[in-house]
C-alpha cells in the first residue's frame, strides 16, 4: 500500500510539472545550450573550472596580451614555408588568394630583429655573430674568448638535445623569411575537404595516443574522436592537447570567416553556422562540447608553462631586443606585468602528476611523448594552405616550447642570475611562438564568450 501511494504521488507531481508554464511542453533547447552543454564546471584531470578561466582571461589578461603581441618584437616571425613534406609527395597547394602569405621586405623588419634573429639579446647576438664569422672562415677562431666559445658550444649542444619537442625551421636557410603576423592573420581561407582532413587524420591516427579500439573517420568534423577512456594521465593529456589545439583553430576560422566579398572590400566576421557545425552537441553527436573543454585544458597547460618560466624573463640581461632601447624597455615591463598576472592565477594545472611513476617507465613515456610531438611538427610542412601552414607551425612550436618549459623546471631554477644560461635558454623564435600561440588560445576563449552571446540571441 505504501509503495502504491508513493507511485501515485510521484505521477501526480510529474503531470503537474509537465503542465505548468509551458502548455505541457519542455522549454526549447537553445543553440547556445547545444554548443556549450557540459562546457562548465571543473575540467577533467584539473582542479580548475571553466568559469574561473573565462573571468581571468577575458577581463584581466586578454587586453594586455593583445597589446604585447602587436609590438615589433612579437609581430615578426621568421619561418620557412618552402620545406618539402617529408611524408608524401602528392601535396596539392591551395590556389586561393586568402591562402597566400605575404613575406616582409627587408626594410620592413627592424634592424635589431634582423641582426638578432637567433637569440634574444644584444649580448647573445654578438656571441652568435662571432660564431658565424668563425664558421665562415672554416676553422675555430682563436680570437674568440674562452667564455664565448663555451657559450657557443653549449647553445649548439642544447639546440640539438633531446629537450626540444619540435623540429624547428632552420632560420638561417635562404628560404626562411620574416612574416608580419598582423598583416597575415589567422582566419578562414577556404582550405578544406580531403586535403585538409588528411593532415588532421594523420595527426590523430599516427601520432595521438589512443586505445586501439577507437576508430576515427577521415573527416575531423565527424564524431568519435574524443574518446580517451582507458589512457594513462600522460597519454590522455597528449590527446587533449592536440584536440584542444584543433578546437582552437576551428574557433578562429569560425570567428574570422569571409561573410561577404565585393570588388571593393571583404567583410570578415562570426559565422554562427560554421561554429555550430564544428561544436554543436547534436550535430557532432556530443563531441563538440568535449572539444571545447579540451581547448580549456590546453589553455591551462600553456598558462602553467608561462608561470614557470618567469625567472628566465626576469633576468637583467634579458631584453626584447629590437634595437629601440626605450621601446624594448617598455615592452619588457609589459611582458613582466603579464607574467606576474599569470603567476597569480589561483588554480594552475599541477604538472607533478606527469611521469611520476616508475622512473624507467616514466622516462620511456616522456620520450614517446616528445617523439610523437616532434613528428606532428614535421607534418605541418604538408599543409597545402600557406597561411594555415604558417599558423600551424607557429602554434605547434609554441606548444612544444611550453612543454619544454614544463619539463625543465630544475634547469630554470638553477639558472644564474646574470650572464649566459648554459643549461636552459629560449631562442627568439621560441619566445615569439610561445606567446603568440598562447595569444591564439586566449583569443579562442574570448571568442567563445562572443559566440555564446550570439547563439543566445538567436532565440
Amino acid at each position: 500500500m505504501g509503495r502504491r501511494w508513493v507511485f501515485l504521488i510521484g505521477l501526480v507531481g510529474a503531470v503537474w510539472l509537465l503542465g505548468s508554464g509551458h502548455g505541457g511542453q519542455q522549454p526549447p533547447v537553445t543553440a547556445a545550450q547545444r554548443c556549450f552543454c557540459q562546457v562548465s564546471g571543473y575540467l577533467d584531470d584539473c582542479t580548475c573550472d571553466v568559469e574561473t578561466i573565462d573571468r581571468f582571461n577575458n577581463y584581466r589578461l586578454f587586453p594586455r596580451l593583445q597589446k604585447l603581441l602587436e609590438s615589433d618584437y612579437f609581430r615578426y616571425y621568421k619561418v620557412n614555408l618552402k620545406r618539402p613534406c617529408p611524408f608524401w609527395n602528392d601535396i596539392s597547394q591551395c590556389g586561393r588568394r586568402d591562402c597566400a602569405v605575404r613575406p616582409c621586405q627587408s626594410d620592413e623588419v627592424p634592424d635589431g630583429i634582423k641582426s638578432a634573429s637567433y637569440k634574444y639579446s644584444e649580448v647573445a647576438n654578438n656571441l652568435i655573430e662571432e660564431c658565424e664569422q668563425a664558421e665562415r672562415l672554416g676553422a675555430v677562431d682563436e680570437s674568440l674568448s674562452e667564455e664565448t666559445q663555451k657559450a657557443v658550444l653549449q647553445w649548439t649542444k642544447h639546440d640539438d638535445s633531446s629537450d626540444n619537442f619540435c623540429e624547428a625551421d632552420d632560420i638561417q636557410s635562404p628560404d626562411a623569411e620574416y612574416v608580419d603576423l598582423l598583416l597575415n592573420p589567422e582566419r578562414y581561407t577556404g582550405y578544406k575537404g580531403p586535403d585538409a582532413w588528411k593532415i588532421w587524420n594523420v595527426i590523430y591516427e599516427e601520432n595521438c595516443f589512443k586505445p586501439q579500439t577507437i576508430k576515427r573517420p577521415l573527416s575531423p568534423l565527424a564524431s568519435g574522436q574524443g574518446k580517451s577512456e582507458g589512457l594513462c594521465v600522460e597519454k590522455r593529456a597528449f590527446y587533449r592537447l592536440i584536440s584542444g589545439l584543433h578546437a582552437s583553430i576551428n574557433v578562429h576560422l569560425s570567428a574570422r570567416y569571409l561573410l561577404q566579398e565585393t570588388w571593393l572590400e571583404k567583410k570578415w566576421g562570426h559565422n554562427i553556422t560554421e561554429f555550430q557545425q564544428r561544436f554543436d552537441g547534436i550535430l557532432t553527436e556530443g563531441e563538440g562540447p568535449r572539444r571545447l573543454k579540451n581547448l580549456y585544458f590546453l589553455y591551462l597547460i600553456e598558462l602553467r608553462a608561462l608561470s614557470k618560466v618567469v625567472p628566465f624573463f626576469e633576468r637583467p640581461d634579458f631584453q626584447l631586443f629590437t634595437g629601440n632601447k626605450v621601446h624594448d624597455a617598455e615592452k619588457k615591463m609589459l611582458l613582466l606585468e603579464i607574467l606576474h598576472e599569470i603567476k597569480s592565477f589561483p588554480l594552475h594545472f599541477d604538472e607533478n602528476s606527469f611521469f611520476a611513476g616508475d622512473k624507467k617507465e616514466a622516462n620511456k613515456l616522456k620520450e614517446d611523448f616528445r617523439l610523437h610531438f616532434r613528428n606532428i611538427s614535421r607534418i605541418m610542412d604538408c599543409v597545402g594552405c600557406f597561411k594555415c601552414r604558417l599558423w600551424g607551425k607557429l602554434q605547434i612550436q609554441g606548444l612544444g616550447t611550453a612543454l619544454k618549459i614544463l619539463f625543465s623546471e630544475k634547469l630554470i631554477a638553477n639558472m644564474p642570475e646574470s650572464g649566459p644560461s648554459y643549461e636552459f635558454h629560449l631562442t627568439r623564435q621560441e619566445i615569439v611562438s610561445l606567446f603568440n600561440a598562447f595569444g591564439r588560445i586566449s583569443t579562442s576563449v574570448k571568442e567563445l564568450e562572443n559566440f555564446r552571446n550570439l547563439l543566445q540571441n538567436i532565440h
Side-chain angles (χ1 to χ4, degrees):
M1 186 69 178
R3 290 183 179 178
R4 184 178 300 174
W5 276 111
V6 170
F7 172 77
L8 289 174
I9 292 171
L11 182 61
V12 170
V15 171
W16 182 84
L17 286 172
L18 287 172
S20 63
H22 298 285
Q25 297 181 351
Q26 292 289 342
V29 177
T30 68
Q33 288 173 323
R34 292 206 310 270
C35 287
F36 292 98
C37 65
Q38 302 174 359
V39 189
S40 63
Y42 288 95
L43 297 167
D44 297 337
D45 301 322
C46 304
T47 58
C48 187
D49 60 276
V50 168
E51 291 76 15
T52 299
I53 296 173
D54 283 339
R55 289 191 299 270
F56 177 78
N57 178 77
N58 298 348
Y59 302 105
R60 294 174 59 182
L61 194 60
F62 176 79
R64 281 186 286 179
L65 182 60
Q66 294 306 303
K67 182 179 179 181
L68 180 72
L69 297 180
E70 291 171 359
S71 65
D72 284 351
Y73 186 90
F74 289 99
R75 68 185 291 182
Y76 296 106
Y77 179 67
K78 199 170 188 181
V79 62
N80 183 358
L81 298 176
K82 299 178 182 178
R83 288 179 57 171
C85 172
F87 299 106
W88 58 82
N89 296 321
D90 60 333
I91 179 172
S92 57
Q93 303 294 344
C94 173
R96 298 173 62 92
R97 285 182 299 170
D98 294 322
C99 285
V101 171
R102 187 181 78 83
C104 295
Q105 299 298 316
S106 179
D107 59 351
E108 294 176 327
V109 183
D111 291 336
I113 291 179
K114 285 187 293 186
S115 63
S117 61
Y118 187 67
K119 297 299 172 185
Y120 49 80
S121 72
E122 188 171 12
V123 174
N125 176 51
N126 291 337
L127 294 177
I128 292 301
E129 285 184 347
E130 292 180 28
C131 175
E132 289 174 347
Q133 183 180 7
E135 188 174 341
R136 284 194 295 270
L137 294 174
V140 175
D141 188 346
E142 298 295 338
S143 66
L144 292 179
S145 68
E146 184 177 346
E147 183 182 17
T148 298
Q149 292 183 43
K150 184 177 180 182
V152 169
L153 289 173
Q154 290 286 351
W155 279 335
T156 302
K157 180 180 178 181
H158 182 277
D159 289 337
D160 295 332
S161 74
S162 61
D163 292 333
N164 294 324
F165 282 75
C166 282
E167 187 171 301
D169 285 348
D170 175 13
I171 61 172
Q172 305 302 327
S173 167
D175 290 331
E177 298 177 291
Y178 282 101
V179 173
D180 186 337
L181 299 175
L182 299 184
L183 297 181
N184 295 274
E186 184 182 27
R187 59 191 179 192
Y188 183 79
T189 65
Y191 178 65
K192 59 183 179 179
D195 289 334
W197 296 343
K198 185 176 183 179
I199 299 296
W200 286 110
N201 191 56
V202 171
I203 289 174
Y204 280 117
E205 287 298 331
E206 297 186 13
N207 293 281
C208 264
F209 297 107
K210 65 183 189 300
Q212 295 297 319
T213 55
I214 293 180
K215 296 182 180 180
R216 293 187 179 84
L218 180 63
S219 169
L221 301 182
S223 63
Q225 297 196 39
K227 308 289 193 303
S228 58
E229 293 82 358
L231 297 176
C232 67
V233 64
E234 294 87 358
K235 294 182 178 180
R236 187 163 63 243
F238 187 98
Y239 172 83
R240 295 183 68 191
L241 290 176
I242 301 305
S243 174
L245 179 60
H246 192 183
S248 179
I249 291 172
N250 283 334
V251 170
H252 304 155
L253 305 187
S254 302
R256 302 195 69 169
Y257 199 91
L258 182 57
L259 301 178
Q260 186 178 357
E261 182 176 8
T262 66
W263 67 280
L264 286 175
E265 63 177 353
K266 293 181 178 181
K267 181 181 179 182
W268 303 87
H270 295 82
N271 187 323
I272 297 176
T273 302
E274 188 74 19
F275 182 84
Q276 288 178 298
Q277 183 184 6
R278 298 172 187 269
F279 299 109
D280 187 291
I282 294 177
L283 297 179
T284 61
E285 298 183 20
E287 288 297 317
R290 184 182 285 111
R291 295 167 185 164
L292 293 180
K293 293 196 81 169
N294 289 341
L295 188 158
Y296 280 99
F297 178 78
L298 172 62
Y299 181 95
L300 286 178
I301 292 292
E302 296 201 4
L303 191 76
R304 181 57 166 168
L306 288 170
S307 74
K308 288 284 187 180
V309 80
V310 172
F312 175 83
F313 293 105
E314 286 182 323
R315 299 164 74 242
D317 59 336
F318 173 82
Q319 58 179 303
L320 299 175
F321 185 65
T322 67
N324 184 329
K325 291 186 177 180
V326 175
H327 175 85
D328 294 346
E330 291 176 351
K331 295 310 173 186
K332 180 178 179 180
M333 187 178 300
L334 176 59
L335 172 70
L336 293 178
E337 287 178 4
I338 291 171
L339 288 174
H340 285 288
E341 185 73 64
I342 289 173
K343 200 169 183 178
S344 72
F345 184 70
L347 296 170
H348 272 294
F349 179 80
D350 182 11
E351 75 282 1
N352 291 325
S353 60
F354 277 16
F355 312 109
D358 176 74
K359 186 174 182 180
K360 184 177 180 181
E361 180 63 24
N363 288 337
K364 181 181 182 303
L365 193 57
K366 179 181 177 180
E367 180 65 8
D368 288 345
F369 204 92
R370 189 184 67 85
L371 292 177
H372 275 65
F373 200 85
R374 283 181 68 92
N375 208 33
I376 290 175
S377 71
R378 299 176 69 208
I379 293 174
M380 292 299 104
D381 288 316
C382 301
V383 177
C385 165
F386 284 111
K387 188 167 291 181
C388 305
R389 184 184 297 193
L390 163 67
W391 285 100
K393 288 167 78 76
L394 182 144
Q395 290 177 81
I396 286 293
Q397 185 179 22
L399 177 54
T401 303
L403 294 174
K404 168 183 169 179
I405 292 168
L406 288 178
F407 293 123
S408 302
E409 183 175 11
K410 292 182 180 179
L411 299 180
I412 295 172
N414 294 329
M415 286 190 308
E417 293 183 1
S418 62
S421 173
Y422 299 131
E423 296 300 324
F424 177 86
H425 78 279
L426 296 176
T427 67
R428 180 182 177 274
Q429 289 291 105
E430 289 175 313
I431 295 169
V432 173
S433 64
L434 173 68
F435 281 90
N436 272 284
F438 181 67
R440 294 283 74 208
I441 307 303
S442 174
T443 299
S444 292
V445 172
K446 177 65 176 175
E447 289 292 0
L448 290 183
E449 180 182 63
N450 295 333
F451 274 114
R452 190 181 289 111
N453 293 335
L454 289 169
L455 287 166
Q456 287 174 342
N457 292 335
I458 289 178
H459 294 279

